[in-house]
Amino acid sequence: MPYYFSGRLSQHLLWLACAAGVVGLLASRALVALAPVVGVCAVLANPNVRREAGLYFRNGAAMRAAALFGFLLVSGLYTSEWATWRHELFRSLTWLGVPLAFTLAVPLAGGQRRAVGALFVLGTAAVGLATSAQYLLDPGSANAAISVGQNMQSITGVFHIYFGVMLALSFFWGLRLRQHPEARLWWRGALLGAAAAAALTLHLLAYRTGLLVFYAGLLGYVGWLLTQKRLVMSLGILVLLALGPLLAYSTLESVRHRVGSTLWDLNQYRTGQDLNDYSLSKRLVAAETAVIIIRQHWLLGVGPADAHAVMREQYDWRDYGLRDASQADVHNQYLNALLGGGLVGLVLWLAVLFWPLTRRWARTNPDLCFFILIQATGMLVTDTLSLQIGLNMFVFGYGFLVVAGEAREQRKLLVAGC
């Protein structure tokens, strides 16, 4: 019983949920699905949960996440794809469960939070190295696939877009974790090696989205260093920004193939050629198609559950020569929010993504800022929330960094008030 009344049971369950979430993102969908359930159990195991229940409703980050779920619920009033709507409603319960866990469970201690971060960094780097080794076993076949716009998935089956984003996050979070004053020399070396492995994997496998967010993160890091008046380091990273892509292009065949296939892809779109086998061209066509629909349903959208069906109907009017199997949905989270939810849906989504930066405690947390910058950049070229792994990756990071951060600030105010 002391284990329960001291709050350690709740805290350890939350820690277990976080560990399961990280391992699940890297290797197991089952663990990803179970992690929010364990998180809710952590809430129920909090001996003070009744007294602290109001903290959830006063947590702005949790309420904005709940508003997204609420909008999806209300969209049922005008949806026509009922089966899809019910499925989307079920999978979006994570918007409620994860923030609830990080608000009402006993908060993780500093060492526990660092352990979760280290698990993510080292685990992602390990999967990246294993995937790189798989690439090196047969680089010819891999480069041939890259030259026609295909990508290697991670060795554990993580979709390349999300794995690229995870690698970029691991690079920056690894560098941040090694700077902690309690980190020992060997631990700093391990984290530095993991960060280097993540960056190497991104370049070796030539993940377009991953490299985009990686260099966007470096540019954001330069901006942060300039605010700290660290001019020498800022200059060094700017040199890296300029030379890194050139060095990768000159030394890595995979990068040269990726650049060549990307330029050829764009030329197919520009000249109006057959687009069926070209990823970027199909995405640009999907954006054109979505804009036509958005102009007609600009306020509330067509309904998140109806977006796919309405896109198919619009393709019936103009298919750009694409076969049915090649007709893509929107690969842009902002356009997708407009398509499904109109201006209201977009405003709700932008509030979830960027509102934390209006708070001083959030702006001074580099880990949180890197998360928002990398996710916001990646969403320019992918609809992150459309696949369950993308939804889980974002909501877990949002809960761990944003919701938990706001909960800590609330508790500080309560202690100060006492």
Side-chain angles (χ1 to χ4, degrees):
M1 293 302 287
Y3 188 47
Y4 166 77
F5 285 110
S6 67
R8 285 182 297 158
L9 174 60
S10 175
Q11 188 181 62
H12 289 170
L13 282 173
L14 181 60
W15 194 15
L16 177 62
C18 291
V22 171
V23 175
L25 286 175
L26 290 170
S28 171
R29 290 185 179 181
L31 284 177
V32 172
L34 285 173
V37 177
V38 178
V40 172
C41 290
V43 172
L44 297 176
N46 182 352
N48 301 314
V49 66
R50 291 185 179 180
R51 188 177 64 197
E52 297 179 353
L55 292 176
Y56 174 72
F57 297 100
R58 292 198 294 271
N59 189 305
M63 289 298 96
R64 289 188 291 274
L68 280 181
F69 181 84
F71 180 77
L72 177 61
L73 187 65
V74 171
S75 73
L77 296 174
Y78 60 96
T79 192
S80 57
E81 297 290 325
W82 285 100
T84 304
W85 178 77
R86 288 192 296 270
H87 172 72
E88 288 297 312
L89 203 64
F90 177 77
R91 68 188 286 268
S92 295
L93 286 172
T94 187
W95 284 113
L96 300 179
V98 172
L100 183 72
F102 282 108
T103 305
L104 295 183
V106 174
L108 298 178
Q112 292 172 324
R113 290 181 61 81
R114 291 193 295 276
V116 173
L119 178 62
F120 179 86
V121 171
L122 296 174
T124 303
V127 174
L129 286 175
T131 308
S132 297
Q134 185 182 46
Y135 165 86
L136 293 173
L137 288 174
D138 189 8
S141 297
N143 289 332
I146 290 172
S147 67
V148 294
Q150 297 178 7
N151 297 272
M152 281 188 65
Q153 314 294 2
S154 80
I155 199 168
T156 56
V158 181
F159 190 50
H160 65 90
I161 290 177
Y162 305 110
F163 188 51
V165 172
M166 292 169 70
L167 286 166
L169 286 170
S170 295
F171 173 81
F172 293 107
W173 287 346
L175 295 181
R176 284 280 305 151
L177 281 169
R178 71 181 300 273
Q179 294 172 357
H180 194 274
E182 295 182 13
R184 297 183 178 181
L185 184 61
W186 66 269
W187 188 238
R188 293 181 182 183
L191 290 169
L192 180 60
L200 176 64
T201 301
L202 274 174
H203 289 82
L204 190 62
L205 302 181
Y207 287 149
R208 267 192 311 237
T209 302
L211 288 171
L212 170 66
V213 299
F214 174 77
Y215 283 102
L218 281 179
L219 190 60
Y221 191 40
V222 169
W224 181 76
L225 288 172
L226 287 174
T227 65
Q228 305 297 309
K229 298 183 179 179
R230 300 168 68 178
L231 300 180
V232 175
M233 186 173 287
S234 300
L235 182 60
I237 296 178
L238 281 175
V239 172
L240 179 63
L241 275 167
L243 296 182
L246 295 176
L247 183 62
Y249 184 83
S250 62
T251 58
L252 296 176
E253 187 178 357
S254 56
V255 174
R256 291 195 293 274
H257 280 291
R258 179 69 69 203
V259 172
S261 66
T262 299
L263 293 176
W264 180 265
D265 192 331
L266 293 173
N267 186 64
Q268 291 291 106
Y269 173 78
R270 184 180 62 83
T271 57
Q273 302 298 314
D274 182 7
L275 308 179
N276 281 280
D277 299 317
Y278 298 95
S279 173
L280 282 178
S281 295
K282 290 187 288 187
R283 295 183 186 193
L284 292 170
V285 165
E288 284 188 35
T289 304
V291 167
I292 295 172
I293 301 168
I294 290 167
R295 287 172 178 167
Q296 300 168 355
H297 305 272
W298 61 270
L299 183 59
L300 292 175
V302 298
D306 291 46
H308 175 77
V310 175
M311 285 285 287
R312 299 281 82 71
E313 292 174 5
Q314 187 61 38
Y315 277 126
D316 288 340
W317 286 95
R318 185 183 179 188
D319 60 12
Y320 297 86
L322 294 173
R323 297 185 293 269
D324 288 349
S326 298
Q327 294 171 358
D329 289 329
V330 182
H331 281 66
N332 179 302
Q333 189 58 51
Y334 309 104
L335 271 181
N336 200 47
L338 265 174
L339 177 64
L343 189 59
V344 174
L346 179 63
V347 168
L348 284 174
W349 171 240
L350 293 178
V352 168
L353 188 58
F354 293 116
W355 189 267
L357 297 179
T358 65
R359 308 295 300 276
R360 186 179 181 279
W361 66 264
R363 292 195 302 272
T364 55
N365 182 346
D367 296 326
L368 187 152
C369 292
F370 278 127
F371 174 74
I372 291 177
L373 173 61
I374 287 174
Q375 290 284 354
T377 303
M379 288 172 184
L380 292 170
V381 293
T382 184
D383 49 334
T384 300
L385 307 181
S386 64
L387 292 183
Q388 193 64 38
I389 184 173
L391 175 65
N392 289 332
M393 180 177 64
F394 180 85
V395 176
F396 175 73
Y398 181 79
F400 188 81
L401 293 167
V402 182
V403 176
E406 191 150 334
R408 284 195 299 274
E409 292 300 307
Q410 286 180 325
R411 286 188 169 92
K412 286 179 184 178
L413 292 175
L414 285 175
V415 170
C418 294

